Amino acid sequence: MRTFRIILADDEPNILYGMQKGLDWERLGFSVVGTAQNGKEVLELMEEFHTDLVISDIKMPFMDGLELAKQIQENYINTKVILFSGWDDFEYARLAISYGVSEYIMKPIDYNEMQKLLMEMHEELDQEYNEKINRVRLEEAYTKSLPLLRQQFFSQLVTEPMEEAERELQIKNLKLDFFDLAYSIVAVKIQKEEEKDFLNEWSMKETLKEALENIAHVYEFGMGEKEIFLLGGEKKHEIGKITRSIQEAEVMIERLFGARISCGISGCSENLSEMPLLYAQALEALDYNLVLLDENYTYYNDIMPHQEVEEDWSIQVEMIGKKIPYMTEAELKVQVQELLRWLHKGHYTLNEYQIVILEISFSVARFYKKYQITSDTEFAGTKKMAVKILSLSTGEELDHWLLNYFLLIRSLIQKKQVDNNVVLAENAKKIVEESFQNPELSVESVCNQLHVSTSYFSKVFKQVTGGTFLNYLIGRRMEEAKKLLLQTDYKSHAIGTMVGYPEPNYFSYVFKKNCGISPVKYRKLGAMDEK
């Protein structure tokens, strides 16, 4: 029997306890991975666990069950919701249905009825999982894939310039609906070690396509070993929505097939003629992502474009360049030694080998521009560098010089990267300092101002500060709230508004959760300390 993940939510602790202990969840095929006392806490748990089912009361503080159901419907397409309430209100039931709620039940909870409902829900979830991997359904879907002419058109659209008249004629003849105003491209490679199963791969692509279709019009086609998703919409796509959809699909793909996907996401354009540029961006981002195996996507705007390679050795040098910001000195030495062993197979004369090392050194120097290293004091300039290389009289000396050159580049890049990360974190802190009073301030709004993706920003901020951005924001707000409580006569609800929490009860809830006592008690204790 499959075990499905579940979250229970109610603002009354005794009801939560009763639900946990009143049913044999394991025997019913469920695992309770978390409990919450309001909708906001449920969404925080959802970020971590991506549950299959949420059972929640409607009446809860800060975010009720209906708003929670709406958020889940918009952001977690694979999660079902059961709501219960002590109010027999038709309007609640009507709204619940419109938000995709599976069941609406009344309090007090009848645990026999609940057990029966959960058995039915398990059967429904099980059937949906089976449908996703049902080979008959997959075969039918596969036979209905895009015809060869459409594949050829899309391949041409993203790889070579097309005259507008020719493009429009093909769109019309192939009955494609290209009426969108903005486009982005996602390039995908499925990572799986076992022997290829084409039907499973097809299902994985369908899973990702379904997720992306929630935010865009999706045109899907294959390019070699990669799958390309052309996203169309009425306005520029929000990178946060694209990455969230990819993460949702990644969770399901890993659960069902034990596989992972790597994705490269392009920038955005309003012109179909720029599809080759977007395609190149998506491939570059994907190529970068394949190096960072702990990530499932890379956004093009988070990386710096690199130079085109022309020589065979350039491929290896470029791969070292992608990894160099993250490699230890020992790892870099191994990579350079591998490059040198490959070069030695060329059996160059000394003069030929000097020229090769010189060309490689010039190629490596391009990393200066790529990583925006402006100081050239560490290098004597290309002319003196060339003189130095041409003065070396053995292959061993040339190898040693190139290795040291790579090591120096590494130290400069990693120092620059640390500096850039610190600047990014400091800019985020500055935004918090200027805007923490704004209740709409969030990771997403900060990333929009800084023009980076939420995933990249969150990782960098935690590396630099040692904590998450959300905790930093809450900490700053609590710091200001404490100051106002002790130094002013403002009411607690007014202070909450002044630090970004216009809802008085939620301000008290957050303050007590983070400071251990209520705002009122904190003020009283402060006054007593002064005496």
Side-chain angles (χ1 to χ4, degrees):
M1 176 187 287
R2 284 194 182 98
T3 299
F4 297 106
R5 298 178 178 184
I6 188 170
I7 292 173
L8 305 176
D10 196 297
D11 61 331
E12 298 184 41
N14 61 319
I15 292 181
L16 269 181
Y17 181 81
M19 283 196 294
Q20 280 185 281
K21 302 300 181 182
L23 292 167
D24 187 345
W25 295 100
E26 186 175 345
R27 185 176 63 82
L28 293 170
F30 291 95
S31 172
V32 179
V33 296
T35 61
Q37 292 184 288
N38 61 72
K40 289 188 176 183
E41 289 184 349
V42 172
L43 292 180
E44 290 174 3
L45 290 169
M46 289 289 294
E47 284 288 335
E48 180 177 358
F49 294 108
H50 297 269
T51 52
D52 302 287
L53 178 63
V54 171
I55 300 180
S56 172
D57 189 15
I58 283 186
K59 290 286 189 178
M60 295 187 296
F62 315 134
M63 179 185 289
D64 64 21
L66 287 175
E67 178 61 25
L68 172 63
K70 182 180 178 183
Q71 293 287 334
I72 289 175
Q73 182 191 41
E74 292 176 353
N75 297 299
Y76 298 94
I77 59 174
N78 299 306
T79 301
K80 297 187 179 299
V81 177
I82 295 176
L83 293 182
F84 56 87
S85 172
W87 299 83
D88 188 7
D89 191 320
F90 173 76
E91 183 62 18
Y92 280 152
R94 186 188 67 78
L95 284 172
I97 292 171
S98 70
Y99 294 154
V101 173
S102 299
E103 294 289 342
Y104 179 87
I105 57 181
M106 298 295 300
K107 286 182 178 180
I109 299 172
D110 184 320
Y111 286 104
N112 289 328
E113 289 297 318
M114 178 65 80
Q115 179 171 299
K116 181 180 178 183
L117 174 60
L118 287 169
M119 291 172 66
E120 293 173 356
M121 190 61 64
H122 189 281
E123 185 177 347
E124 184 178 335
L125 285 167
D126 212 33
Q127 184 177 351
E128 289 183 5
Y129 267 63
N130 287 335
E131 284 180 359
K132 288 184 179 294
I133 57 176
N134 183 283
R135 301 188 73 86
V136 174
R137 186 187 72 84
L138 297 178
E139 288 171 354
E140 292 175 352
Y142 189 78
T143 58
K144 295 176 182 177
S145 62
L146 292 176
L148 179 60
L149 288 176
R150 285 190 175 186
Q151 169 69 45
Q152 291 175 339
F153 166 73
F154 282 121
S155 299
Q156 185 180 5
L157 180 68
V158 300
T159 56
E160 59 187 77
M162 293 180 68
E163 294 291 337
E164 183 177 0
E166 178 192 356
R167 183 176 68 240
E168 293 304 318
L169 179 62
Q170 289 207 47
I171 289 173
K172 180 180 178 181
N173 291 339
L174 295 172
K175 299 180 181 180
L176 294 168
D177 297 325
F178 272 103
F179 302 113
D180 299 295
L181 301 179
Y183 299 93
S184 298
I185 289 179
V186 179
V188 181
K189 185 174 178 62
I190 296 171
Q191 305 292 322
K192 194 167 184 181
E193 295 182 358
E194 291 102 337
E195 186 176 345
K196 284 190 175 181
D197 185 316
F198 292 105
L199 292 177
N200 279 355
E201 285 192 9
W202 181 257
S203 184
M204 294 179 216
K205 296 169 189 175
E206 286 294 298
T207 299
L208 180 55
K209 183 179 179 183
E210 288 172 7
L212 292 171
E213 282 176 336
N214 283 300
I215 61 165
H217 301 142
V218 179
Y219 311 90
E220 174 203 359
F221 54 99
M223 294 287 286
E225 294 184 350
K226 304 174 183 67
E227 199 68 18
I228 308 301
F229 295 84
L230 173 57
L231 311 184
E234 296 180 356
K235 60 181 181 179
K236 181 180 178 181
H237 297 105
E238 296 179 23
I239 185 62
K241 290 186 176 180
I242 295 176
T243 56
R244 176 177 287 278
S245 299
I246 290 173
Q247 287 173 322
E248 277 292 290
E250 165 76 10
V251 169
M252 186 58 66
I253 288 171
E254 185 173 357
R255 286 186 189 174
L256 289 174
F257 305 103
R260 65 179 300 274
I261 55 175
S262 291
C263 303
I265 308 168
S266 76
C268 186
S269 175
E270 299 175 354
N271 195 334
L272 280 174
S273 65
E274 294 186 356
M275 288 303 105
L277 173 62
L278 296 186
Y279 178 63
Q281 291 178 357
L283 289 187
E284 183 169 349
L286 174 61
D287 193 32
Y288 189 92
N289 184 251
L290 292 172
V291 176
L292 305 175
L293 297 179
D294 58 332
E295 299 287 349
N296 55 32
Y297 66 83
T298 295
Y299 177 39
Y300 178 77
N301 287 1
D302 287 344
I303 63 174
M304 302 294 293
H306 58 261
Q307 300 291 329
E308 293 293 327
V309 297
E310 298 177 355
E311 306 291 341
D312 290 342
W313 51 258
S314 295
I315 298 173
Q316 297 186 50
V317 171
E318 198 65 35
M319 290 304 295
I320 294 174
K322 289 188 178 73
K323 300 177 184 178
I324 208 168
Y326 315 100
M327 281 194 287
T328 64
E329 181 176 311
E331 289 170 339
L332 178 58
K333 286 181 177 179
V334 170
Q335 293 291 319
V336 175
Q337 292 293 350
E338 187 66 30
L339 169 65
L340 293 172
R341 277 193 292 272
W342 185 86
L343 290 175
H344 294 167
K345 295 178 182 178
H347 302 292
Y348 297 106
T349 64
L350 177 62
N351 185 249
E352 290 172 339
Y353 197 48
Q354 288 173 324
I355 298 301
V356 169
I357 297 298
L358 185 61
E359 289 176 344
I360 290 176
S361 68
F362 288 159
S363 180
V364 173
R366 294 173 185 169
F367 298 154
Y368 247 45
K369 292 183 179 179
K370 177 177 178 180
Y371 294 99
Q372 298 180 325
I373 301 173
T374 55
S375 171
D376 62 357
T377 56
E378 292 84 356
F379 296 89
T382 55
K383 182 176 180 180
K384 192 168 183 179
M385 186 166 65
V387 171
K388 175 63 177 177
I389 291 172
L390 294 175
S391 70
L392 299 174
S393 57
T394 68
E396 185 178 0
E397 290 177 348
L398 289 164
D399 289 350
H400 184 68
W401 184 92
L402 185 63
L403 175 59
N404 287 335
Y405 184 71
F406 267 106
L407 292 172
L408 179 56
I409 287 282
R410 169 191 167 274
S411 65
L412 291 173
I413 288 174
Q414 293 191 355
K415 181 180 182 301
K416 178 66 175 179
Q417 188 177 50
V418 170
D419 293 343
N420 287 344
N421 290 348
V422 170
V423 170
L424 182 64
E426 288 303 318
N427 287 339
K429 289 181 180 180
K430 184 178 179 181
I431 292 173
V432 169
E433 195 60 36
E434 295 171 350
S435 308
F436 69 83
Q437 303 92 339
N438 181 2
E440 301 300 321
L441 187 64
S442 65
V443 173
E444 288 76 14
S445 66
V446 169
C447 289
N448 285 338
Q449 292 186 60
L450 297 176
H451 307 292
V452 295
S453 67
T454 55
S455 174
Y456 176 77
F457 170 76
S458 297
K459 182 192 300 181
V460 167
F461 192 88
K462 191 167 186 179
Q463 285 175 346
V464 173
T465 67
T468 67
F469 174 79
L470 181 59
N471 285 339
Y472 180 83
L473 174 59
I474 293 173
R476 181 64 187 92
R477 286 172 168 170
M478 294 301 101
E479 177 187 329
E480 188 69 14
K482 290 178 182 178
K483 177 181 173 182
L484 292 171
L485 285 166
L486 297 179
Q487 298 179 7
T488 73
D489 294 326
Y490 290 121
K491 298 291 186 182
S492 178
H493 66 84
I495 291 175
T497 300
M498 294 166 70
V499 299
Y501 298 107
E503 211 288 316
N505 291 333
Y506 191 59
F507 168 62
S508 296
Y509 174 80
V510 174
F511 190 94
K512 187 172 183 180
K513 184 177 181 180
N514 287 273
C515 304
I517 56 176
S518 69
V520 173
K521 191 170 183 180
Y522 182 85
R523 172 174 273 169
K524 287 181 179 179
L525 290 174
M528 291 173 63
D529 289 342
E530 290 182 358
K531 294 178 182 179

